[in-house]
Amino acid sequence: MTRPLRGLALGVALGLAVTALTLGCGGPADGWPDRPGPKVLASFPPVASIAMAVAGPDAAVLPVMSGQSPHGGEPKPSELRLLRRADLFVINGLGLDDRLATKFAGTSARPIRVVNLGESLAAKDLLDGGACEHEGHDHAAHDSGDNTDPHAWLGLKHARTYATKLAAELGQADGPHAADYEARAKAFAAKLDTLQADGVTLFKDKADRKFLPFHASMGYFAQSFGLTMIEPIQVVPGQEPSPKKLEEIVKTCLDRKVRVIAVEPQFSAQSSAKRIRDELTRRGLTDVVLVELDPLETCPAGELTGDWYEAKMRANVVALAGALK
Ligand SMILES: [Zn+2]
C-alpha cells in the first residue's frame, strides 16, 4: 500500500495541473487507484471508455490525452509517469496515436503490452482517406503516411470489435476474471446493438441524409447509419480553410443541397462553419443548420466512465436525426 501514498505526495508536489487531470479521470492524485487487477493506460477518451466498460471493477483504466486532440497532441509528464505501473497500453492505431505507443515503449522502465485495437479490424471494414468522397486530402496530421481513416471508434461495429479485443487482452492478463471481461464486452455490444437499432429507426424516414462534417471524423459513424458525409470543412484538423476552399465547400453544398453542417465541441474556432451557413442562406438554400456532433476525441475532466461512449454516440445520433429532414 505504500506506492499510492508515495504517488499521492508526488501529485500534491506537482500541483494543480496534475491533480486536475487525475481527479478528472477518477483516480487519486498522480497515479493508479489502489485496487488489484490489471492497470490499463488508454491513449484517448473513446478507447478509455470502451476499456472501462469491459474492465468493470476488475481492472483499472486511465486515459492519457483526455483534454487534447489525438491529432498531434503530446502526453504530459504526469501521464508518462502512469507508465511506471501500467500493464497494458491501449491505442486506436490506424496512424492516429501509434506514435504514442512508440514514445511510451521508449519511456517505460518495464515492458508494457501495447494493444493496438485498429489491428483487430478487418481490412474490408476500414475506410479510406478521411472517409470523404474526394481524393487528394492532406493527411499530414496523421502519422502513418497511409490513407486509412483512423476514426474507427465512431463506427458501432468497430467499437464492438474493440470491446471484444479488449476482453481477450484483459482475460489474458487476468485469467481468473476472463469470463467477467467477456460478459461485459457482450453487454457493451448489446447496448450498441440497441443504439444501432434506435438510430436506424430515427433515420429511417429521412429523405435528406447528407451532412458536412467539421473535420473528417464522422465517416464510420455515417456508415453505421447509411448517411453521407461530404468533404470536411477542415481537411487538416485544427486548420481553418482558405477563402478559396470555403467557396468550394459552399458550391458543393449548393450543388448537392447540403443543409446540415456539423460543428465539434473540441474546436473553439468554428467561424468557418458559421460563415458557410450564412453564405448558403444568403444564396438561397433554406433551413441551413449547425448541429453539434462530437467525435469523442476529448473528454471534459470528470465525465469519463464506461457509459460515456454509448451516451455520447447516442447524443450524436439524436442530434443529427433532429437536424436531417
Ligand atoms: Zn479526428
Side-chain angles (χ1 to χ4, degrees):
M1 300 301 132
T2 56
R3 299 192 72 159
L5 287 176
R6 242 188 288 148
L8 185 67
L10 185 60
V12 170
L14 285 167
L16 265 180
V18 172
T19 310
L21 170 82
T22 50
L23 286 181
C25 305
D30 188 35
W32 294 97
D34 180 21
R35 61 202 254 196
K39 293 176 175 54
V40 182
L41 209 53
S43 64
F44 70 119
V47 166
S49 178
I50 298 170
M52 285 171 172
V54 175
D58 297 321
V61 179
L62 289 177
V64 291
M65 312 273 293
S66 59
Q68 51 179 329
S69 166
H71 296 283
E74 286 296 326
K76 297 170 186 165
S78 56
E79 296 176 317
L80 288 169
R81 269 194 300 278
L82 291 169
L83 272 178
R84 287 181 192 160
R85 291 204 293 151
D87 300 300
L88 300 177
F89 181 48
V90 185
I91 63 170
N92 177 76
L94 305 175
L96 183 71
D97 48 6
D98 310 58
R99 77 203 141 81
L100 273 181
T102 311
K103 183 170 190 155
F104 278 22
T107 307
S108 178
R110 57 197 275 267
I112 183 166
R113 179 164 173 74
V114 175
V115 178
N116 184 325
L117 296 177
E119 284 178 355
S120 64
L121 300 171
K124 69 174 173 51
D125 290 329
L126 295 174
L127 294 175
D128 204 39
C132 303
E133 301 172 313
H134 307 278
E135 298 300 322
H137 294 143
D138 182 355
H139 284 80
H142 298 161
D143 307 325
S144 68
D146 75 16
N147 205 26
T148 302
D149 179 353
H151 301 88
W153 67 91
L154 292 162
L156 294 182
K157 175 177 162 185
H158 303 71
R160 285 192 290 260
T161 304
Y162 282 10
T164 304
K165 170 72 173 165
L166 283 161
E169 288 285 345
L170 283 166
Q172 209 163 36
D174 178 22
H177 293 110
D180 301 311
Y181 297 124
E182 201 180 318
R184 281 189 290 266
K186 284 196 172 132
F188 177 80
K191 260 171 80 171
L192 296 196
D193 287 343
T194 303
L195 174 57
Q196 174 100 43
D198 292 348
V200 166
T201 304
L202 283 169
F203 291 120
K204 182 167 56 91
D205 297 326
K206 306 290 180 188
D208 174 14
R209 306 179 76 85
K210 302 178 294 294
F211 67 99
L212 174 69
F214 192 67
H215 91 286
S217 56
M218 304 303 281
Y220 294 94
F221 178 85
Q223 188 189 49
S224 294
F225 299 103
L227 307 171
T228 301
M229 184 177 94
I230 308 296
E231 185 180 2
I233 297 173
Q234 287 195 349
V235 175
V236 178
Q239 254 178 49
E240 284 282 64
S242 66
K244 181 169 166 277
K245 183 74 194 165
L246 264 184
E247 177 57 23
E248 281 172 28
I249 295 168
V250 166
K251 279 206 178 110
T252 302
C253 290
L254 285 170
D255 286 349
R256 302 186 58 181
K257 302 207 173 359
V258 178
R259 43 166 289 281
V260 175
I261 303 171
V263 290
E264 299 178 8
Q266 282 80 9
F267 292 93
S268 53
Q270 306 198 65
S271 56
S272 55
K274 293 180 187 112
R275 285 217 300 283
I276 292 166
R277 177 196 58 193
D278 295 346
E279 194 58 21
L280 290 174
T281 305
R282 195 178 69 78
R283 297 199 206 174
L285 200 60
T286 51
D287 294 339
V288 182
V289 290
L290 298 183
V291 58
E292 186 171 287
L293 293 185
D294 189 344
L296 280 62
E297 292 185 352
T298 59
C299 171
E303 276 189 25
L304 197 57
T305 65
D307 295 324
W308 178 82
Y309 173 85
E310 192 271 347
K312 297 299 279 188
M313 290 295 279
R314 181 170 289 278
N316 282 338
V317 167
V318 170
L320 191 54
L324 293 171
K325 285 186 173 174

